[in-house]
Amino acid sequence: MPKYNIDDILNELGVDAPRTPAPAKKHRVDEAEAPLSPIPQAPGNQGTPKDSSPAGPMGIAEVYRPQDNAIEVRRGGTFTDVLLARGVVTPDRITNAQQVIRQSPGRKLQDVLIEQGVDEIAVHEALAEAGGIAFERINLEKGLDGGFDGKLLQRLTPEFCKRHMVVPLRQEGSRVVIGTTQADNVFIVDEVRAALNVPGVKLVMVPAYDVRGALEMIGANVKGEEDMDVSRILSEVEEGDVTVEKSRAEEVDLAKEAGESPVIRYVNYIIQSASKEGASDIHIEPAEKKLKVRFRIDGELFEMMNPPASMAAAITSRIKIMANLDISERRLPQDGRIRAQVNGRKLDLRVSTLPTASGEKVVMRILDQRAISVELEQLGFDEQTFTIWRKQIDSPHGIILVTGPTGSGKTTTLYASLRQLDKNSMNISTVEDPVEYHLDGITQTQVHDKIGMSFAAALRSLLRQDPDVIMLGEIRDHETAHIAVQAALTGHLVLSTLHTNDAPASITRLVNIGLEPFLVGAAVNAVLAQRLIRRLCAHCKAQQPATDELGEFLTVHGIDADEVWVAKGCDKCRNTGYSGRVGIYEMLAVDDQLRDMIARNPNVAEFRRLCIERGMVTLRQDGMRKVASGLTSVQEVLRVTEGAH
């Protein structure tokens, strides 16, 4: 056994060593205190200090005897004495627990008492006092943001923490504070010190409940004797059901919700983490043996957490309760909405559940009012495109289309455009499916296909409301397209979206839907195709010499540069090299010559060639302009515009 200095050991355990030797109390060691009995000493170190009693307390001082004195670490008395003095248990309960220990050798008194229903927190507080170390609770609501140290935990590894039931809490100078569930495990100090390579380690007592919660939060499958009791989790979710049902019409304040259940806290932690990371979507995906939680950040999915697979049903039920869905229906897809407040920010979460072979998959779209409240000037338009677009949205009548795939920022562009209009002097109405963001001064209508409130029906009704500007969420069918064209030709400005790869394809799409080409040419004023590309991280982007092949590619796109900006990756951008997104745009303004061309019903390739000849800047060309200005990389532009020309 290595040599130890008692002052160092006590310091690491958070105990101030006395200046003078403290005489040891003489008392009988309870058989029930077997867990706190001395650890057998190595040969050659078995002498008994002259000031100690053979019947003295068996604590750390009895294990390490570097001096001829005995220091009693457990200043509050034995564990049993502290329990009785605090009124945590009765003598009869102690007697019963001791009987269990006699019949099951190796069991610890604290574990037996907790199994018998004694309050776990009170037991660990008494254990800490008996061991002479501080007692703390881990703030699981703060999680990695102040509850415990995630970086130190990863260095120790979740497996180590699970095996020894410890969690690193924080760093105090050169000393690391470790939360442990065992006051008598002094050897953990050396193991932690060696693993973290730090000069000092201080132990504090924490409840096993908190340690399990912290390890589950970072995705470790924590096991004691067995996995977390799923029936207990589900019963706790039912407790949450009562709380949420009372405030169905109210906003759920995640920061203030008491949340006695670990499932409630874990779901709140997922939403808080997604909000902090700037995620647009949360994917909770069950598999046969694990559960994945992924966030979509800047358009890319990142795997963030792996809760125990046994929590899948409980997490899904909790989300259904928050979204006011039927928790008993697991065979059919369901859609709902959660109004939440996270760190003072109001969020709407659009919830969708989908039955799969391994359970229900849940996807939550995060609708952040702050994210949508951007000005038109901040979207990434170049000067020429911005001027044309502003002129188009000020038109008195006609159809203006924004096109692109799902998640390309079409709604953001339309909302920013509507905010540019004079809401005091104009009647502005929208028809959406669903209404994702609420705009002041604008009438917003949501479609309900099940009751016959379709886009066409809503649009037909809006035309009787004396509108000046109408925004359609999407033109999906011939009826909606026909009414939109009629509205545009009778003096209304109609803004809408289509799902096409580029701007010229939108014209042929309307013809394919069933509109007459001459009507399309007469009604459509402009089409804006757009994509979102990731910005280079401002903290780690760097320039490097362009290869011959890349230099030739840049020259073709009108860029004469010997060096190009590239993505490197750092901690601030999750080592991706990108942080945030900006739009690239393809603006098609329909003039008289193009109207004549549209009336002749051209094919897509021919029409696109004509548009480019008349000066239309393509998506890739606009992307390469942003490469030249150092906003993004060539690889990112090629990735995003792969399906476009």
Side-chain angles (χ1 to χ4, degrees):
M1 176 180 291
K3 295 183 178 180
Y4 292 84
N5 183 282
I6 188 65
D7 292 337
D8 291 341
I9 296 170
L10 294 176
N11 184 51
E12 290 162 2
L13 291 173
V15 181
D16 295 324
R19 298 294 181 185
T20 57
K25 287 184 181 179
K26 292 188 177 182
H27 66 280
R28 184 179 63 83
V29 178
D30 245 315
E31 188 176 2
E33 291 185 55
L36 296 178
S37 60
I39 301 171
Q41 300 180 15
N45 191 27
Q46 298 181 9
T48 303
K50 57 186 178 181
D51 294 335
S52 65
S53 167
M58 302 302 183
I60 297 170
E62 295 300 302
V63 179
Y64 306 109
R65 311 170 193 255
Q67 302 171 357
D68 287 339
N69 55 51
I71 300 176
E72 182 181 359
V73 176
R74 287 180 290 174
R75 298 171 184 169
T78 67
F79 179 40
T80 305
D81 291 340
V82 175
L83 286 172
L84 294 173
R86 284 172 168 257
V88 177
V89 294
T90 61
D92 290 342
R93 180 64 66 86
I94 292 289
T95 302
N96 292 338
Q98 290 172 345
Q99 183 64 33
V100 172
I101 292 173
R102 291 190 189 96
Q103 296 174 356
S104 307
R107 299 291 301 279
K108 294 186 177 183
L109 177 60
Q110 59 263 34
D111 295 336
V112 173
L113 290 174
I114 292 171
E115 287 179 5
Q116 291 180 345
V118 179
D119 181 65
E120 181 177 351
I121 306 303
V123 169
H124 281 91
E125 285 179 337
L127 198 61
E129 182 179 335
I133 66 175
F135 175 83
E136 291 188 17
R137 294 295 307 274
I138 300 176
N139 192 332
L140 296 179
E141 288 190 0
K142 289 186 176 180
L144 297 171
D145 296 325
F148 56 94
D149 196 315
K151 291 183 179 178
L152 290 176
L153 195 151
Q154 292 300 327
R155 286 172 59 188
L156 274 179
T157 74
E159 292 74 21
F160 178 92
C161 295
K162 181 172 63 175
R163 185 168 64 252
H164 297 285
M165 288 301 285
V166 297
V167 169
L169 302 180
R170 59 188 174 274
Q171 193 148 0
E172 295 178 350
S174 61
R175 188 167 63 171
V176 173
V177 180
I178 300 292
T180 179
T181 60
Q182 304 175 44
D184 55 338
N185 188 358
V186 293
F187 297 108
I188 195 65
V189 171
D190 277 333
E191 294 189 44
V192 171
R193 184 160 46 192
L196 297 179
N197 193 24
V198 292
V201 175
K202 174 184 175 181
L203 293 184
V204 298
M205 176 71 72
V206 294
Y209 171 85
D210 288 356
V211 174
R212 288 191 295 267
L215 293 178
E216 285 165 8
M217 198 169 286
I218 56 95
N221 185 17
V222 184
K223 295 182 180 181
E225 296 281 327
E226 56 189 7
D227 273 336
M228 187 181 291
D229 187 353
V230 178
S231 62
R232 180 172 64 85
I233 295 175
L234 292 176
S235 67
E236 289 168 340
V237 171
E238 292 172 2
E239 291 174 10
D241 190 5
V242 177
T243 304
V244 175
E245 289 299 321
K246 287 181 180 178
S247 57
R248 227 179 236 182
E250 301 294 328
E251 291 179 348
V252 181
D253 190 340
L254 299 180
K256 296 181 179 179
E257 190 171 4
E260 294 300 326
S261 165
V263 175
I264 293 176
R265 286 200 301 270
Y266 197 86
V267 170
N268 291 354
Y269 171 71
I270 290 174
I271 297 173
Q272 287 172 326
S273 299
S275 174
K276 180 183 176 183
E277 292 288 342
S280 61
D281 299 86
I282 302 170
H283 292 240
I284 301 175
E285 304 166 341
E288 185 176 351
K289 294 186 178 179
K290 71 173 186 176
L291 182 63
K292 282 197 304 186
V293 178
R294 298 196 291 173
F295 295 166
R296 187 176 295 279
I297 304 171
D298 293 338
E300 299 289 308
L301 278 172
F302 295 89
E303 187 167 338
M304 306 296 287
M305 308 172 196
N306 290 112
S310 57
M311 292 181 68
I315 289 174
T316 303
S317 296
R318 172 59 187 164
I319 293 172
K320 284 183 175 181
I321 289 167
M322 295 173 73
N324 194 23
L325 300 178
D326 184 359
I327 63 173
S328 64
E329 180 55 77
R330 300 183 178 180
R331 301 166 299 171
L332 295 174
Q334 296 187 69
D335 295 307
R337 197 177 189 117
I338 299 172
R339 294 178 61 89
Q341 185 170 328
V342 182
N343 300 326
R345 292 168 54 191
K346 291 184 178 180
L347 299 181
D348 278 358
L349 292 93
R350 204 170 69 201
V351 181
S352 173
T353 68
L354 180 69
T356 69
S358 302
E360 285 184 283
K361 177 181 177 180
V362 178
V363 175
M364 291 184 280
R365 165 67 59 88
I366 300 175
L367 306 174
D368 187 352
Q369 192 73 32
R370 193 169 66 179
I372 203 73
S373 301
V374 294
E375 298 301 325
L376 207 54
E377 296 86 348
Q378 300 173 321
L379 296 180
F381 288 106
D382 63 38
E383 187 175 351
Q384 181 182 2
T385 305
F386 179 73
T387 302
I388 297 173
W389 183 252
R390 277 299 304 264
K391 183 179 178 181
Q392 292 295 337
I393 62 177
D394 287 334
S395 300
H397 54 78
I399 293 178
I400 301 175
L401 296 173
V402 180
T403 182
T406 301
S408 60
K410 299 187 298 295
T411 301
T412 302
T413 300
L414 286 175
Y415 278 16
S417 301
L418 289 178
R419 279 198 298 272
Q420 297 292 316
L421 302 176
D422 186 357
K423 295 185 283 290
N424 292 324
S425 62
M426 303 176 74
N427 178 14
I428 305 173
S429 303
T430 72
V431 182
E432 304 171 66
D433 182 24
V435 175
E436 294 184 346
Y437 301 96
H438 296 279
L439 302 175
D440 291 334
I442 294 176
T443 304
Q444 295 174 271
T445 304
Q446 181 163 324
V447 302
H448 294 282
D449 287 325
K450 292 182 179 179
I451 60 173
M453 184 65 164
S454 63
F455 272 110
L459 180 55
R460 194 179 290 109
S461 298
L462 272 185
L463 290 175
R464 295 193 287 269
Q465 294 278 320
D466 185 30
D468 296 298
V469 179
I470 299 171
M471 191 196 88
L472 277 176
E474 183 183 352
I475 293 179
R476 296 177 178 175
D477 51 46
H478 173 265
E479 186 180 9
T480 305
H482 181 72
I483 299 173
V485 167
Q486 293 300 324
L489 294 176
T490 54
H492 303 88
L493 181 64
V494 180
L495 286 73
S496 189
T497 68
L498 274 179
H499 290 283
T500 58
N501 285 334
D502 54 39
S506 300
I507 302 297
T508 55
R509 173 66 58 83
L510 291 175
V511 174
N512 293 337
I513 285 178
L515 295 178
E516 294 292 341
F518 71 91
L519 287 177
V520 176
V524 176
N525 288 354
V527 182
L528 180 72
Q530 70 177 69
R531 300 287 191 280
L532 291 177
I533 57 173
R534 295 179 293 172
R535 291 177 183 263
L536 287 170
C537 175
H539 297 90
C540 64
K541 70 176 183 178
Q543 284 186 304
Q544 70 179 27
T547 62
D548 294 340
E549 183 181 358
L550 182 56
E552 184 179 347
F553 179 81
L554 293 174
T555 303
V556 170
H557 286 83
I559 301 174
D560 186 13
D562 297 328
E563 292 187 326
V564 292
W565 289 99
V566 294
K568 287 294 186 180
C570 63
D571 292 339
K572 295 185 181 295
C573 61
R574 294 170 295 278
N575 292 315
T576 62
Y578 300 94
S579 179
R581 290 190 290 178
V582 66
I584 58 174
Y585 302 95
E586 181 175 283
M587 183 75 204
L588 171 60
V590 181
D591 57 18
D592 290 340
Q593 184 175 348
L594 288 178
R595 293 186 199 279
D596 292 340
M597 185 71 177
I598 293 170
R600 295 197 294 268
N601 194 15
N603 62 51
V604 179
E606 181 185 2
F607 185 61
R608 179 175 179 79
R609 179 183 54 78
L610 180 63
C611 292
I612 294 174
E613 288 177 357
R614 294 188 59 77
M616 184 186 75
V617 177
T618 65
L619 285 167
R620 181 163 293 180
Q621 287 171 339
D622 190 42
M624 295 308 294
R625 289 178 179 178
K626 290 178 169 62
V627 169
S629 61
L631 282 176
T632 189
S633 66
V634 175
Q635 293 79 6
E636 179 68 5
V637 172
L638 294 178
R639 180 186 70 85
V640 172
T641 61
E642 186 176 358
H645 299 283

